[in-house]
Amino acid sequence: MTRLARPSRRVSLAGLLTAALLATPLIATTTPAAAQPQAASTPALIPKPVSQQALDGQDFTLKPWSIVGVASSAKESRAARKVADQLTAQLRRSTGYPLPVIPLVPGVADVKLSTNGPASLGAEGYQLRVDRSAVSVTAATPEGLYRGVTTLRQLLPAKADAARRQTGPWRVAGTTIADSPRYGYRGAMLDVSRHFFSVTEVKRYIDLISLYKLNKLHLHLSDDQGWRIQVDSWPRLTTYGGSLEVNGTPGGSYTKADFAEIVRYAADHYLTVIPEIDTPGHTNAALASYADLNCDGVAPPLYTGTDVGFSSLCVGKDITYSFLDDVFREVAQQAPGDVIHLGGDEAHSTPHSDYLTFVPKAAALVTKQHKRVMGWQEIAETPLPAGSIAQYWGTDDARSQELARKAAAQGAQVVMSPANRAYLDMKYDDSTPYGQDWAGLVDVKTAYDWNPSTLVPDLPESAVAGVEAPIWTETLDDLDKLEYMAFPRLPGVAELGWSQASALDWTAYKDRLGAQGSRWDILSVNFYRAPEINWR
Ligand code: TNX
């Protein structure tokens, strides 16, 4: 244990180095890369942090005797400790080192994790410093610490993410990083209705999206082809309405225990689950399960095709609202986040005047559960409760843009999911083996090269809550296909959500993206090796 005694000189040396860096920002930032060859370990982070400076000659190496120290308030100690445990659990697998976690004692720990940073860092912000003596991640909350540890994972060699023991060295290039997100809403949506995905598969998707600092997991839980969440007061929704999926293969649904497991796993990855019950269209699975929900009292058959816009709840019937009251109550109980998504898209079989009647009534049933209303952009046609969120899915068309402005004009926030950029189910090019192309072909550059705050003309920047990358699964029936469509595009949308507008640059991003390839190989991600990216 003698190695624990560190010369205090090192601390002041580190302080001097920081001071020197701060005093010479022009030299530090304008030296041409060519004149100063970058070390092989130069970290390529996605999303790009707000600021990052190299500390040359200050590489840190994780050693078999390294110790992880955690500092936090008593109130946050469990959550902070959990972040440390997640990091060390993975690093123990790949390095084989014991990596004990202890309460932080200054000068003892090699990896220092603290939630005692200043509140000015914000809930998700963090500072990270790597020098010869230690790695420190400092945040004001456990969530900020988690984001910082996510960065640390990317700073480590890719093989640190391996499931089995690898050989070192476990070197991290010296650096200082200060970071916080541009937007509070950074989501991914998974359609588990068209094709059902098991709890294990959803967890894998969570593992992958959380690497890029997303904080919302929107689950599209009901549609024409299947109802996927248990509602005790309407059991046939899942027993019958969830029995199939597209092409007639067996579907499935989440029991309350299953859903709780997803919510917990998402929360452990600092992702809030946003449950979507799509209404009044996209409801064939419910209409098939309960004849009384239909205007004519006749239940349609289950549907396993891929058309949209043919089903509608019966807006004039009282049972429609007692049904939704029960559904939103039980869904609210299962999803602790503050938002419920009520769909509202493509209600082509709902007369327009009915749509205008329906949405405010459905929205009131959501707010009755003390949840904020989220819905696809069409809901902006109707008056929305305070705190609502409209999800833009336009393709630069005037009508969608108008809906986004209408949402903002009534005080709602807008989440940007432009179908011709952020839809991960669009084909990359015309040789992509699955996916759709109704919104166009979306190559890696197209998915990245846009600005969420200026996409819709005359939409106030303050109305933009963030971004979301949806993946619809009409043509995607397994995890390999999901991964192929999401990677490498999803990290680009994640960067749009996190990084400052001034940091967005396709040429530089493309290079950082190429460096993710080795990590995805280690994680066995079935990513599309887009030919325009230099994978390594
Ligand atoms: C449109 S965009 C839909 C979904 C489909 C998707 C396929 C939107 C809100 N609805 O019902 O699955 O296109 O790309």
Side-chain angles (χ1 to χ4, degrees):
M1 294 298 272
T2 49
R3 53 161 293 283
L4 298 182
R6 296 284 165 74
S8 59
R9 188 177 57 82
R10 205 169 270 169
V11 175
S12 50
L13 178 62
L16 281 172
L17 275 162
T18 309
L21 260 172
L22 290 172
T24 56
L26 287 175
I27 295 168
T29 56
T30 60
T31 307
Q36 206 184 60
Q38 304 276 297
S41 58
T42 295
L45 298 172
I46 295 179
K48 189 177 165 68
V50 171
S51 77
Q52 179 181 10
Q53 257 123 25
L55 292 182
D56 291 334
Q58 286 286 322
D59 290 4
F60 170 88
T61 303
L62 197 71
K63 294 284 170 45
W65 51 82
S66 290
I67 290 175
V68 177
V70 186
S72 70
S73 65
K75 195 170 136 254
E76 288 171 336
S77 68
R78 275 175 72 101
R81 170 72 196 224
K82 182 158 208 164
V83 175
D85 288 345
Q86 286 170 311
L87 172 69
T88 51
Q90 173 51 36
L91 292 180
R92 284 178 200 133
R93 277 193 283 273
S94 54
T95 65
Y97 300 165
L99 303 174
V101 179
I102 59 162
L104 182 60
V105 180
V108 171
D110 306 271
V111 177
K112 305 172 187 182
L113 307 178
S114 168
T115 60
N116 293 336
S120 58
L121 291 170
E124 291 190 278
Y126 66 91
Q127 283 170 343
L128 192 153
R129 179 185 171 90
V130 178
D131 63 30
R132 222 178 293 148
S133 68
V135 171
S136 359
V137 185
T138 306
T141 66
E143 181 173 15
L145 184 64
Y146 182 84
R147 304 296 171 218
V149 164
T150 302
T151 299
L152 175 57
R153 273 183 75 180
Q154 285 192 16
L155 294 174
L156 281 154
K159 62 189 175 183
D161 277 332
R164 274 182 216 90
R165 189 168 173 168
Q166 311 289 311
T167 45
W170 302 101
R171 197 174 297 141
V172 186
T175 188
T176 58
I177 293 173
D179 204 11
S180 61
R182 181 179 182 193
Y183 299 107
Y185 190 114
R186 306 180 309 279
M189 188 210 81
L190 177 58
D191 170 9
V192 295
S193 176
R194 272 56 176 270
H195 280 101
F196 181 65
F197 289 86
S198 68
V199 173
T200 307
E201 290 168 322
V202 174
K203 284 181 170 177
R204 161 76 171 182
Y205 203 60
I206 288 172
D207 288 340
L208 298 180
I209 68 178
S210 65
L211 294 174
Y212 299 97
K213 300 192 172 74
L214 294 186
N215 64 358
K216 312 285 179 196
L217 175 64
H218 168 183
L219 291 174
H220 184 75
L221 293 165
S222 70
D223 211 304
D224 293 319
Q225 296 86 347
W227 187 286
R228 309 300 182 199
I229 184 169
Q230 186 181 342
V231 178
D232 292 334
S233 48
W234 298 76
R236 259 175 75 80
L237 290 172
T238 47
T239 56
Y240 182 66
S243 58
L244 298 177
E245 58 181 12
V246 164
N247 290 333
T249 37
S253 59
Y254 307 120
T255 62
K256 290 197 168 175
D258 289 339
F259 202 77
E261 193 176 337
I262 292 173
V263 165
R264 201 179 321 113
Y265 196 78
D268 287 347
H269 293 75
Y270 286 89
L271 285 155
T272 303
V273 171
I274 297 185
E276 178 184 353
I277 301 298
D278 205 347
T279 65
H282 292 278
T283 43
N284 189 77
L287 297 168
S289 304
Y290 289 97
D292 283 351
L293 292 175
N294 296 270
C295 283
D296 62 4
V298 179
L302 292 172
Y303 181 71
T304 59
T306 61
D307 289 346
V308 297
F310 61 87
S311 59
S312 179
L313 290 173
C314 187
V315 172
K317 271 189 165 181
D318 288 345
I319 192 175
T320 297
Y321 306 98
S322 49
F323 165 71
L324 288 178
D325 193 23
D326 290 336
V327 167
F328 289 144
R329 185 184 62 254
E330 291 197 38
V331 168
Q333 284 161 358
Q334 296 183 64
D338 70 342
V339 174
I340 288 182
H341 199 303
L342 53 70
D345 57 316
E346 300 174 314
H348 306 318
S349 300
T350 313
H352 189 62
S353 61
D354 276 5
Y355 185 84
L356 300 180
T357 305
F358 174 84
V359 173
K361 291 181 81 168
L365 296 173
V366 169
T367 55
K368 183 180 168 188
Q369 301 303 328
H370 308 287
K371 302 287 185 179
R372 298 164 68 190
V373 172
M374 186 161 174
W376 298 101
Q377 63 190 24
E378 291 95 322
I379 64 166
E381 303 247 40
T382 76
L384 298 172
S388 295
I389 303 168
Q391 188 167 6
Y392 174 89
W393 60 277
T395 53
D396 302 333
D397 58 298
R399 181 177 144 68
S400 298
Q401 294 179 344
E402 187 54 37
L403 287 169
R405 288 188 292 263
K406 271 192 174 175
Q410 49 172 315
Q413 296 256 274
V414 180
V415 165
M416 291 294 167
S417 300
N420 56 343
R421 296 179 172 85
Y423 270 28
L424 301 176
D425 60 314
M426 291 300 123
K427 289 174 184 284
Y428 292 94
D429 61 31
D430 44 28
S431 69
T432 306
Y434 16 77
Q436 309 210 48
D437 61 4
W438 67 263
L441 300 170
V442 178
D443 62 17
V444 184
K445 181 178 184 198
T446 303
Y448 175 80
D449 210 7
W450 56 285
N451 182 341
S453 287
T454 57
L455 183 72
V456 172
D458 302 319
L459 182 69
E461 180 152 14
S462 60
V464 178
V467 294
E468 185 180 290
I471 189 158
W472 302 98
T473 58
E474 287 94 331
T475 65
L476 309 172
D477 58 5
D478 65 30
L479 201 48
D480 275 352
K481 292 175 190 166
L482 280 188
E483 291 180 4
Y484 185 84
M485 300 305 274
F487 295 89
R489 290 181 292 194
L490 180 136
V493 181
E495 174 151 308
L496 294 181
W498 182 280
S499 305
Q500 297 301 304
S502 57
L504 306 177
D505 171 58
W506 165 248
T507 310
Y509 171 74
K510 191 180 159 182
D511 190 57
R512 284 182 285 120
L513 186 60
Q516 298 295 306
S518 54
R519 208 161 282 275
W520 296 339
D521 281 337
I522 280 160
L523 293 169
S524 305
V525 179
N526 181 42
F527 68 102
Y528 166 58
R529 288 173 190 273
E532 65 273 30
I533 308 297
N534 173 23
W535 297 108
R536 50 203 198 272

